[in-house]
Amino acid sequence: MKRCALIFTTIVFGSFVAGAAVAQQKAQAKLSAEAARGKYLVQIAGCNDCHTPGYATSGGKVEEKLWLTGDQLGWRGPWGTTYSSNLRLRVKDMTAEQFVTVARSKLRPPMPWFNMRDMSDRDVKAIYAYLKLLGPAGQPAPQYVPPDKTPSGPFVQFPATPK
Ligand code: HEC
């Protein structure tokens, strides 16, 4: 009788553990499907062009482990000098909802914030999932420099915006 109970307990507990493992696998599979979609979106929406050093100039030949780690190259124009943020560090302590809020806010040029604004929440969250999958790496991009100051590092100079 005792043995019976033991076997029964083992079966119940065993199937519980197996069930939990399946649930975890499912969550993992969902994450990778979501992250894979995020990666695809990052590639076709051109996020690497600015947020990955050397990506645009090398024709996209940058190892994935360096993707979206930000850039030291400044973009200087009437708005001052901006730097493409290290998105992997940026999302480190952020929830998906907080990232959606950032994606809905107005940013300085040449960030095409209006493109990101028009993405669905689902797409923005997929990009977030991909950034989380890549994990934190690299250094933060340099700080924004106001228009009246000259940046110390390399920068691209934009002409004044035509009126
Ligand atoms: C033409 C260059 C360029 C492209 C393309 C670009 N970005 Fe940016 N991005 C920037 C710059 C520059 C900034 C900093 C803007 C500022 O200082 O206000 C920025 C800022 C951001 C921020 C805000 C980060 C922060 O520190 O708060 C997010 C999020 C972001 N970009 C995501 C994306 C995503 C996702 C894509 C692809 C859909 C993308 N960017 C494409 C240049 C670019």
Side-chain angles (χ1 to χ4, degrees):
M1 202 54 203
K2 246 190 191 169
R3 171 173 284 198
C4 226
L6 184 67
I7 291 170
F8 179 72
T9 313
T10 311
I11 291 170
V12 170
F13 186 67
S15 49
F16 175 73
V17 170
V22 168
Q24 203 185 347
Q25 271 171 9
K26 273 189 184 161
Q28 203 73 40
K30 185 175 175 282
L31 177 75
S32 21
E34 195 184 18
R37 184 176 162 76
K39 177 178 175 176
Y40 167 75
L41 288 167
V42 158
Q43 287 180 283
I44 61 162
C47 314
N48 278 317
D49 300 1
C50 296
H51 289 274
T52 301
Y55 194 87
T57 44
S58 70
K61 286 199 192 96
V62 176
E63 283 179 280
E64 192 178 358
K65 64 176 185 193
L66 296 173
W67 285 17
L68 309 171
T69 53
D71 202 358
Q72 304 289 315
L73 180 68
W75 301 101
R76 193 177 190 211
W79 58 85
T81 307
T82 50
Y83 296 88
S84 309
S85 327
N86 181 329
L87 299 178
R88 288 164 64 172
L89 291 181
R90 189 72 174 94
V91 299
K92 196 171 148 286
D93 301 312
M94 242 188 216
T95 63
E97 281 68 30
Q98 286 169 330
F99 188 64
V100 171
T101 307
V102 174
R104 303 291 174 247
S105 44
K106 189 174 174 191
L107 298 160
R108 286 173 289 234
M111 170 61 205
W113 58 272
F114 33 85
N115 296 352
M116 195 163 59
R117 177 198 60 197
D118 295 347
M119 281 184 186
S120 66
D121 282 12
R122 186 173 157 247
D123 285 352
V124 171
K125 284 180 181 171
I127 292 177
Y128 171 85
Y130 178 56
L131 287 167
K132 284 293 206 188
L133 184 81
L134 285 171
Q139 300 299 315
Q143 287 285 322
Y144 163 76
V145 180
D148 58 323
K149 300 256 173 0
T150 306
S152 52
F155 59 86
V156 172
Q157 179 73 56
F158 280 73
T161 316
K163 289 271 163 2

